[in-house]
Every structure is written in structure tokens, then in C-alpha cells.
Amino acid sequence: MLNHYMAESNNTIIAAVRDPSTSQGLLSLPKGANTKVIIVKIDSASKIDPYTAISTLQFQGISHIDVVISAAGIAKLNTVEDVPLEEFEEMLMVNAISVMLLYKATLPLLRKAEKPAKFAFISAAGGSLNDMAKYPYPNVGYAASKALANVLVRKMGMENDWLVSLCIHPG
């Protein structure tokens, strides 16, 4: 998806990364005419990074966002019986709550989109309630957090007729 948007002309790509100091290579990727890349820090374990990033972008003159792609995720393998609460909470934060925080932080700029606004979430088949039996792995925290994020993203679209929201399984 990054390559697709980078190859188009006249795009501004906002690359949200955990550590901008190790992500400077993004600036030198091949780009379409007049396409630029801005790197901002968003650690999905942070409750404030999305808001700080949006404030930084607005200060730099970004007045709207057309597409948000939420792609962060972590997985740790445990059964319901064995999962430590701290690990379960961490997966909920990174895989689901961070999706809601990113949405809430970007919402004012999505509302000003020049095209129909889109919020895409990179989900996982393991987060499907209907297909859960196909994935019998001991991944309760991952599956639960992806299922929660799927609900949040679906609700985003249901609550806003101007927003296209979608959950994408990368496989």
C-alpha cells in the first residue's frame, strides 16, 4: 500500500513510526512527481502519541488527511488460562485501543478530506468470530484484540456516512 501511494503524483505520505531516527530510509524511497514523505512518531502503546503527531502535522501546514491506514500490531501466544493480564492488556492497547486513538486523533483532518475519507485497518483472519475454528492457535490476546478493533472500525463507518472504513486481512 505504501508503494502504491508513493508511486502516485501529488501525494503527501505521513509515515507514523515508533522510532523516527531509525526510519529515515523512508524519505529516499522512489516517489511520484510532487509526492513527499513526512515522518512522525506514533508508538501504538502510547495514549498521547497520535494527538501529538496530529498537532505536529497541523503546525507543519497539513490541513486534511484523505486516507489513514492503521497497521500496528503485536502477537503473543497464550491460552485464556495462561495469558498474563499484562500481556493481554498490552495486546489490547497496541492492537485495538491504539486504532481508536488514531481514529479520534485524525478525525478532525479526515473530516476535511478532499476525497471520500478512508480509514483502513490491517486486521487478521484470527480476529474473526465466524472463522475462529480455522485458527486454533493459543492466541487469545491477539484474536480478542483484533476482533475488538474490527468492531471499532466497522462502527466508525456506521457512525459516519462520509467515511469509508474497512478491515483488511493481509493474507
Side-chain angles (χ1 to χ4, degrees), residues 48-91:
I48 60 169
D49 276 4
Y51 296 99
T52 302
I54 293 301
S55 293
T56 299
L57 291 167
Q58 288 174 313
F59 182 76
Q60 293 177 8
I62 300 296
S63 61
H64 69 280
I65 295 176
D66 296 327
V67 178
V68 173
I69 302 169
S70 176
I74 58 169
K76 298 183 180 187
L77 298 179
N78 283 297
T79 64
V80 176
E81 178 180 358
D82 297 329
V83 65
L85 181 58
E86 296 78 19
E87 279 188 16
F88 190 77
E89 290 173 333
E90 179 186 21
M91 284 181 277

Side-chain angles (χ1 to χ4, degrees), residues 14 24 26 70 80 95 106 111 134 139 147 153-154 157 161:
I14 300 164
Q24 295 301 306
L26 292 171
S70 176
V80 176
N95 296 345
T106 60
R111 283 193 171 116
K134 295 178 185 176
N139 64 348
V153 173
R154 289 285 312 271
D161 61 1

Side-chain angles (χ1 to χ4, degrees), residues 29-140:
L29 291 174
K31 303 181 244 332
N34 299 316
T35 289
K36 66 178 181 175
V37 177
I38 300 171
I39 297 175
V40 294
K41 179 187 181 299
I42 299 182
D43 183 331
S44 292
S46 168
K47 293 178 182 175
I48 60 169
D49 276 4
Y51 296 99
T52 302
I54 293 301
S55 293
T56 299
L57 291 167
Q58 288 174 313
F59 182 76
Q60 293 177 8
I62 300 296
S63 61
H64 69 280
I65 295 176
D66 296 327
V67 178
V68 173
I69 302 169
S70 176
I74 58 169
K76 298 183 180 187
L77 298 179
N78 283 297
T79 64
V80 176
E81 178 180 358
D82 297 329
V83 65
L85 181 58
E86 296 78 19
E87 279 188 16
F88 190 77
E89 290 173 333
E90 179 186 21
M91 284 181 277
L92 284 175
M93 179 64 204
V94 172
N95 296 345
I97 295 169
S98 72
V99 176
M100 182 176 66
L101 292 171
L102 182 62
Y103 166 74
K104 290 168 84 68
T106 60
L107 192 54
L109 296 179
L110 282 168
R111 283 193 171 116
K112 297 176 183 174
E114 293 179 354
K115 304 172 184 175
K118 296 175 184 73
F119 191 100
F121 168 58
I122 307 302
S123 185
S128 168
L129 295 178
N130 290 336
D131 290 338
M132 189 181 296
K134 295 178 185 176
Y135 307 98
Y137 319 113
N139 64 348
V140 66

